[in-house]
Amino acid sequence: MRPIVRLIAALIFAAVPMAMGAQEVAAHSLAPASSGSEFIDSIPLFNRSPKWLKSYLNSFMRGNIDRTREKRFDLSFGLSPSYTREASFGIGALCTGLYRMDRNDTLPNPSDIFICLNASLNGFFVFTLKGNHLFPDNRSRISYKFEMYRKDLDFWGINSEATANNPKSRYDRRQIDLQIEYAYRISHNLYVGAHLRNDYTDARRMANPDYLLGERPQYYVTGVGASVEIDSRDNILTPTRGVHLSYMVMLFPKFLGNAPSFFNSHRIIANAYRQLWKGSTLAFDFYAKFNSSKSPWTMREMVASDGIRMRGYYMGSYIDNSQVALQTELRQHIWNRIGATAWIGGATVFSSLKDLRHKEIRPEWLPNWGLGLRFEFKHNVNARIDFGMGRHTKGFVFAVGEAF
């Protein structure tokens, strides 16, 4: 009976990876890879099944084992129904893969790649390609993300005052976003990086164009930047201890797009991970991003736009130039490839730092908390179901990869 139980648990969570927002492929390892011999061939129910089906189910049940030293690419595929709060029901397909440039290298962790295609009944469409390419010298890496989507979204405006007071409206958001980062280790835990971002966003069929406050519905921008970070995490994909401190500045020249003027952004991330007891990880995340006042509305901060922070809030329900957010999450392995999480946190969006000093215009702090389930779909890559709650809101997040 044990193989059947494992198969049922795996298939229940198989539907999770397809409901995609924009999420980081950064997962928490749930358990050591099993060395057991349970295979579909040992279940009489599947004795007469086609070979391709038994082969797929066998690989799925053992998909959490790293086989990158045995073959060039260790791939897993999935297809299932999907659901997100913004997109409603749909169907999605994904591919997750692990690989090494040199299968004999001494790096403990492989490179990763993630591809997803998702479409829903209400016209939502998203294609995502992202990953981390680790070079064999263990001194440098390239992280990348390409996302192309069409989303029919609710819309309240482009700053915190408008989103707090305007009636709900609608618009069709179409976006193509490319982000590339090259990081080089100059000492044990110190890295410097170079960044490139190219973004095209077009708002169509806007029910209330006045909500844009005179800005254009379509912008194309290109930015270049630099970063410095301290990274002592034991694993990029499955951190259980260590810290990750990062500061990044991005510059968006006017001549590299159609924004009305030059603008810039500054981002700070501080993450820490600590094991409290066997099978547990306490994770902390601080995020702050400050965009200059000349930033077009398409590049402003949107609460819950990445599937990482403020889970349970609607994408774009709060928008402004800048955002500060923090959260702490307890992750606990339960059994085999299954785990659970609980988190609490909050965020605020605002036009400038001056807003924080004036009580009469000080932005409101939005609380967030919730519970989640995890399934190790691929080695160190989790499928997750999170139920998040907040101020006058609640909702599910179905995604691949830990929130941070």
Side-chain angles (χ1 to χ4, degrees), residues 223-297:
V224 293
S227 66
V228 59
E229 58 184 304
I230 297 173
D231 191 353
S232 64
R233 293 173 294 179
D234 57 340
N235 192 310
I236 294 178
L237 294 178
T238 61
T240 59
R241 64 178 183 272
V243 299
H244 178 221
L245 308 176
S246 172
Y247 167 73
M248 179 182 72
V249 58
M250 292 291 297
L251 308 177
F252 295 86
K254 181 180 179 180
F255 67 88
L256 292 180
N258 67 351
S261 63
F262 167 87
F263 67 97
N264 61 76
S265 69
H266 302 263
R267 188 198 70 186
I268 301 171
I269 293 178
N271 293 334
Y273 307 88
R274 180 183 178 87
Q275 291 181 310
L276 299 182
W277 52 79
K278 184 177 180 180
S280 74
T281 299
L282 181 64
F284 173 80
D285 170 60
F286 172 81
Y287 171 89
K289 188 172 183 182
F290 309 99
N291 295 306
S292 61
S293 59
K294 299 294 185 179
S295 300
W297 73 273

Side-chain angles (χ1 to χ4, degrees), residues 53 56 59 64 117 360 404:
L53 177 60
Y56 174 77
S59 65
N64 63 321
L117 179 64
E360 62 274 10
F404 59 95

Side-chain angles (χ1 to χ4, degrees), residues 238-399:
T238 61
T240 59
R241 64 178 183 272
V243 299
H244 178 221
L245 308 176
S246 172
Y247 167 73
M248 179 182 72
V249 58
M250 292 291 297
L251 308 177
F252 295 86
K254 181 180 179 180
F255 67 88
L256 292 180
N258 67 351
S261 63
F262 167 87
F263 67 97
N264 61 76
S265 69
H266 302 263
R267 188 198 70 186
I268 301 171
I269 293 178
N271 293 334
Y273 307 88
R274 180 183 178 87
Q275 291 181 310
L276 299 182
W277 52 79
K278 184 177 180 180
S280 74
T281 299
L282 181 64
F284 173 80
D285 170 60
F286 172 81
Y287 171 89
K289 188 172 183 182
F290 309 99
N291 295 306
S292 61
S293 59
K294 299 294 185 179
S295 300
W297 73 273
T298 57
M299 300 299 290
R300 294 183 179 181
E301 289 292 284
M302 294 195 299
V303 163
S305 64
D306 53 10
I308 297 175
R309 300 168 184 92
M310 305 304 287
R311 287 164 276 176
Y313 281 78
Y314 189 92
M315 174 182 172
S317 55
Y318 297 88
I319 302 177
D320 217 323
N321 277 345
S322 304
Q323 179 179 184
V324 173
L326 59 87
Q327 60 184 327
T328 184
E329 181 171 280
L330 178 62
R331 302 166 184 170
Q332 177 65 51
H333 168 244
I334 297 177
W335 171 75
N336 201 275
R337 295 161 69 179
I338 297 175
T341 65
W343 80 89
I344 186 171
T348 185
V349 292
F350 49 92
S351 296
S352 68
L353 289 173
K354 295 179 181 178
D355 295 352
L356 302 179
R357 297 199 298 264
H358 300 285
K359 292 183 179 180
E360 62 274 10
I361 60 173
R362 184 175 297 167
E364 63 177 328
W365 182 259
L366 305 170
N368 183 229
W369 64 93
L371 301 171
L373 291 176
R374 301 292 184 267
F375 174 76
E376 194 177 15
F377 177 74
K378 190 69 177 169
H379 178 66
N380 290 340
V381 179
N382 288 356
R384 61 182 169 104
I385 305 176
D386 289 331
F387 181 72
M389 293 166 280
R391 181 169 297 168
H392 311 302
T393 187
K394 58 185 175 181
F396 284 97
V397 176
F398 294 69

Side-chain angles (χ1 to χ4, degrees), residues 68-346:
T68 56
R69 298 192 186 278
E70 304 171 16
K71 49 186 178 180
R72 188 174 300 276
F73 282 95
D74 182 15
L75 299 175
S76 292
F77 302 88
L79 178 70
S80 82
S82 67
Y83 174 83
T84 65
R85 185 175 179 186
E86 295 84 359
S88 184
F89 292 95
I91 189 168
L94 70 79
C95 170
T96 60
L98 304 174
Y99 66 95
R100 299 176 187 271
M101 291 186 65
D102 180 0
R103 281 180 281 173
N104 295 317
D105 67 35
T106 58
L107 287 177
N109 306 308
S111 301
D112 63 272
I113 186 171
F114 169 79
I115 304 172
C116 174
L117 179 64
N118 180 257
S120 71
L121 298 176
N122 69 353
F124 171 99
F125 166 85
V126 62
F127 171 79
T128 303
L129 167 66
K130 62 175 68 175
N132 297 282
H133 181 82
L134 309 181
F135 289 91
D137 60 5
N138 198 26
R139 295 191 65 90
S140 55
R141 66 174 182 264
I142 294 177
S143 300
Y144 54 90
K145 175 184 177 182
F146 174 79
E147 188 169 55
M148 177 173 60
Y149 68 73
R150 175 190 182 275
K151 299 179 180 180
D152 190 17
L153 296 172
D154 292 337
F155 189 54
W156 292 265
I158 62 173
N159 58 45
S160 53
E161 181 181 1
T163 54
N165 298 299
N166 285 343
K168 182 172 68 175
S169 181
R170 298 287 290 180
Y171 78 116
D172 181 358
R173 185 183 181 102
R174 305 183 183 200
Q175 185 168 358
I176 300 175
D177 188 32
L178 172 65
Q179 301 179 50
I180 301 175
E181 173 195 1
Y182 173 76
Y184 182 80
R185 181 166 57 89
I186 59 177
S187 68
H188 184 59
N189 292 323
L190 181 63
Y191 292 78
V192 293
H195 299 255
L196 172 68
R197 182 171 185 182
N198 187 275
D199 182 274
Y200 170 81
T201 303
D202 187 8
R204 302 184 181 183
R205 297 188 297 151
M206 185 163 286
N208 287 295
D210 292 342
Y211 281 11
L212 292 182
L213 302 179
E215 293 200 37
R216 293 202 303 263
Q218 176 269 332
Y219 285 104
Y220 168 76
V221 300
T222 299
V224 293
S227 66
V228 59
E229 58 184 304
I230 297 173
D231 191 353
S232 64
R233 293 173 294 179
D234 57 340
N235 192 310
I236 294 178
L237 294 178
T238 61
T240 59
R241 64 178 183 272
V243 299
H244 178 221
L245 308 176
S246 172
Y247 167 73
M248 179 182 72
V249 58
M250 292 291 297
L251 308 177
F252 295 86
K254 181 180 179 180
F255 67 88
L256 292 180
N258 67 351
S261 63
F262 167 87
F263 67 97
N264 61 76
S265 69
H266 302 263
R267 188 198 70 186
I268 301 171
I269 293 178
N271 293 334
Y273 307 88
R274 180 183 178 87
Q275 291 181 310
L276 299 182
W277 52 79
K278 184 177 180 180
S280 74
T281 299
L282 181 64
F284 173 80
D285 170 60
F286 172 81
Y287 171 89
K289 188 172 183 182
F290 309 99
N291 295 306
S292 61
S293 59
K294 299 294 185 179
S295 300
W297 73 273
T298 57
M299 300 299 290
R300 294 183 179 181
E301 289 292 284
M302 294 195 299
V303 163
S305 64
D306 53 10
I308 297 175
R309 300 168 184 92
M310 305 304 287
R311 287 164 276 176
Y313 281 78
Y314 189 92
M315 174 182 172
S317 55
Y318 297 88
I319 302 177
D320 217 323
N321 277 345
S322 304
Q323 179 179 184
V324 173
L326 59 87
Q327 60 184 327
T328 184
E329 181 171 280
L330 178 62
R331 302 166 184 170
Q332 177 65 51
H333 168 244
I334 297 177
W335 171 75
N336 201 275
R337 295 161 69 179
I338 297 175
T341 65
W343 80 89
I344 186 171

